[in-house]
Amino acid sequence: MIVFTDGDDNASALNSIAAIARAKKLGIPLYAIAEGEATHSRNLRKNPDELSERTGGAAYKSEAQ
């Protein structure tokens, strides 16, 4: 699953722990693409990085062109 995020969790149906557990149970790797403020803040990238790492996916950040 591909997730685009600014790193700020303000309206999720699941918290990150529940999302990781569900993705792992179903064998779905999460690929997070940080955009906006998350491209400049390690703190905002922490959650998407963890989601990706713990589910076997990868994390990236978008670059403005």
Side-chain angles (χ1 to χ4, degrees), residues 3 5 31-35 38-39 45 48-49 52 57-62:
V3 178
T5 182
Y31 294 87
I33 301 173
E35 53 188 6
T39 62
R45 282 196 315 268
D49 289 351
S52 297
Y60 303 93
K61 68 178 189 173
S62 65

Side-chain angles (χ1 to χ4, degrees), residues 5-58:
T5 182
D6 65 359
D8 189 18
D9 184 3
N10 57 11
S12 294
L14 297 173
N15 66 28
S16 61
I17 294 168
I20 290 168
R22 189 172 291 183
K24 287 175 77 171
K25 180 179 179 182
L26 297 172
I28 300 171
L30 299 176
Y31 294 87
I33 301 173
E35 53 188 6
E37 289 299 313
T39 62
H40 306 293
S41 170
R42 273 185 209 225
N43 194 40
L44 287 175
R45 282 196 315 268
K46 195 181 305 181
N47 193 33
D49 289 351
E50 182 181 2
L51 285 170
S52 297
E53 182 181 310
R54 294 189 57 197
T55 62

